[in-house]
Amino acid sequence: MIGIINYDSGNLRSVSKAFEKVGAQVRLVEDSHGMEGLNAIVLPGVGSFGDSVRGLQDRGLWEPLKNWISEGKPFFGICLGYQLLFESSEESPGVDGFGIFPGKVVHFKKQAGRKIPQMGWNTIDRVDADSAQWTGLPEEAYFFFVHSYFPEPASASIIASRCDYDGENFAASIESGRLVATQFHPEKSQANGLRLIENFVNAL
């Protein structure tokens, strides 16, 4: 059973349907009691960093989620669910993230001709092409992005893929033990996104 965190900050229907399509059983989790009996947790997110932190705190999910991730249990973070793993964000000064990994979330640099947010399809460069995360995916895999901010991990060891957006290169995804997190939206990335989700589910 995979729990998808509902804190009024994510595209829950698309995420749920994507996991169900690869054969997973899912349930929406709205408080800490809903985390009981889960095999994995998915934290989606759209909106602002600060609002997401407050939404999770208001539902009593912040500390239980932090403990779950800290204990190395299976976790998939999407977009803000990726950004929240770090210490802070330029989007919401003074608001702490989970701090699971050292690093901060930064805004794309303003540059003539660069449209912000990045919105649309882009390729990624895999750091470790042999990782089980990429099983069955083409070498040049496209994924769907919608974001103005992205994490800068302090340690390159967790970076699973990078992406170049109009000359700015950033960490598009990370992998650490049984944790996977992506800046792109696998639930909106058609066959490639479904395969990435399936690889996560198969590893449980």
Side-chain angles (χ1 to χ4, degrees):
M1 179 64 68
I2 295 177
I4 298 178
I5 303 297
N6 177 15
Y7 59 114
D8 296 328
S9 189
N11 189 4
L12 298 178
R13 188 173 184 277
S14 294
V15 173
S16 297
K17 290 294 183 185
F19 275 83
E20 289 173 342
K21 194 161 186 176
V22 302
Q25 288 185 301
V26 304
R27 75 163 178 250
L28 296 183
V29 175
E30 299 184 349
D31 55 42
S32 60
H33 299 295
M35 292 173 60
E36 297 174 4
L38 296 177
N39 302 107
I41 283 178
V42 179
L43 180 62
V46 294
S48 80
F49 189 94
D51 287 345
S52 295
V53 171
R54 286 185 285 272
L56 291 169
Q57 291 173 339
D58 289 346
R59 291 176 182 265
L61 282 164
W62 184 260
E63 288 301 325
L65 271 176
K66 186 174 181 178
N67 292 337
W68 176 284
I69 302 165
S70 298
E71 291 168 8
K73 296 179 180 179
F75 175 87
F76 199 126
I78 299 172
C79 197
L80 269 169
Y82 168 36
Q83 296 179 9
L84 290 170
L85 296 171
F86 295 88
E87 296 166 303
S88 64
S89 174
E90 291 181 349
E91 184 178 23
S92 304
V95 178
D96 292 334
F98 285 122
I100 302 298
F101 304 109
K104 62 181 180 179
V105 179
V106 300
H107 194 273
F108 278 117
K109 296 180 179 67
K110 292 182 179 179
Q111 174 180 299
R114 176 185 291 152
K115 294 181 179 179
I116 302 173
Q118 174 182 200
M119 184 179 298
W121 297 88
N122 206 342
T123 56
I124 58 162
D125 295 315
R126 304 176 226 185
V127 173
D128 179 7
D130 295 326
S131 168
Q133 181 176 342
W134 310 120
T135 299
L137 283 161
E139 185 173 339
E140 189 175 69
Y142 281 82
F143 292 95
F144 192 82
F145 291 82
V146 183
H147 67 119
S148 300
Y149 296 83
F150 56 86
E152 285 187 337
S155 172
S157 65
I158 62 171
I159 299 175
S161 70
R162 303 194 67 88
C163 178
D164 185 276
Y165 178 53
D166 199 18
E168 187 156 9
N169 193 273
F170 64 92
S173 67
I174 61 171
E175 183 176 12
S176 179
R178 294 189 289 177
L179 176 148
V180 173
T182 65
Q183 184 58 66
F184 53 83
H185 287 268
E187 79 281 6
K188 297 180 180 180
S189 298
Q190 300 179 4
N192 289 338
L194 286 175
R195 188 56 195 255
L196 187 68
I197 290 171
E198 185 176 18
N199 290 340
F200 175 80
V201 171
N202 288 345
L204 297 178

